[in-house]
Amino acid sequence: WARRCVQETGTQEQTQQEQQTGGEQQPNQVVEKKEKELPPGTVDDFAKIDIRVGKFVDVWKHPESDKLYCEKIDIGEGEIREIASGLQQFIKLEDMSGLCLVMVNLKPKKLGGFPSNGMVVCASNDDHTQVELLRPAEGSQVGERITLEGYDKITQERAAVLNPKHKILEKCFPLMKTDDDLNACFDTYKWATSTGQVKSSTLKNSSIS
């Protein structure tokens, strides 16, 4: 969620063609580049996203940003990830503790100059004025991979790093939501760990990212 929150710009790309004679650019030659509409993600697309149970080890406010938290998160097998999340304005520092969910197979990226090696997964309402951490079921083990109820192709093996050119996240995000019972879902499939379902605290029928 943090990456989307911090990096959304809403800008529209435009290119200008030059006249073959004189090399001058004319206003009527401005061409808008429209992004090709993506097909909806499939459950097999979702299976390429590696989401793990993590545990906050340390969290602090980014010294130069009023949006970002800097975090150290245990994602299992002795691996501690540094991740930046744009959650300062939504979640109190003291609530950034315990178990959480982390997308672990994203390309590393710097946010506010801080190296971010993953993304903390949250639910948010339509106008993004409320954001909550998604929490795994009680008893979930740090490092275990989130699966889908009724779909058996997600294993506990680490998935390959997502290639941004394939736009797997962009295709899957619209189908990632909480349901009437606060369960995290992809389409009609509920997210689960070995001990139960993944939930939001209060946000029903809300977006997940």
Side-chain angles (χ1 to χ4, degrees), residues 109-147:
K109 185 172 291 189
K110 284 190 175 182
L111 296 178
F114 186 81
S116 188
N117 298 281
M119 185 171 75
V120 175
V121 187
C122 297
S124 63
N125 62 355
D126 289 342
D127 59 4
H128 303 297
T129 56
Q130 289 180 273
V131 180
E132 294 178 351
L133 296 169
L134 288 180
R135 301 284 192 178
E138 187 175 350
S140 298
Q141 297 299 305
V142 171
E144 71 171 295
R145 188 175 177 184
I146 299 304
T147 58

Side-chain angles (χ1 to χ4, degrees), residues 82-97:
E82 289 188 333
I83 296 175
S85 301
L87 298 172
Q88 264 200 57
Q89 298 175 351
F90 306 102
I91 300 174
K92 295 179 181 178
L93 182 59
E94 56 265 31
D95 293 330
M96 296 286 289
S97 62

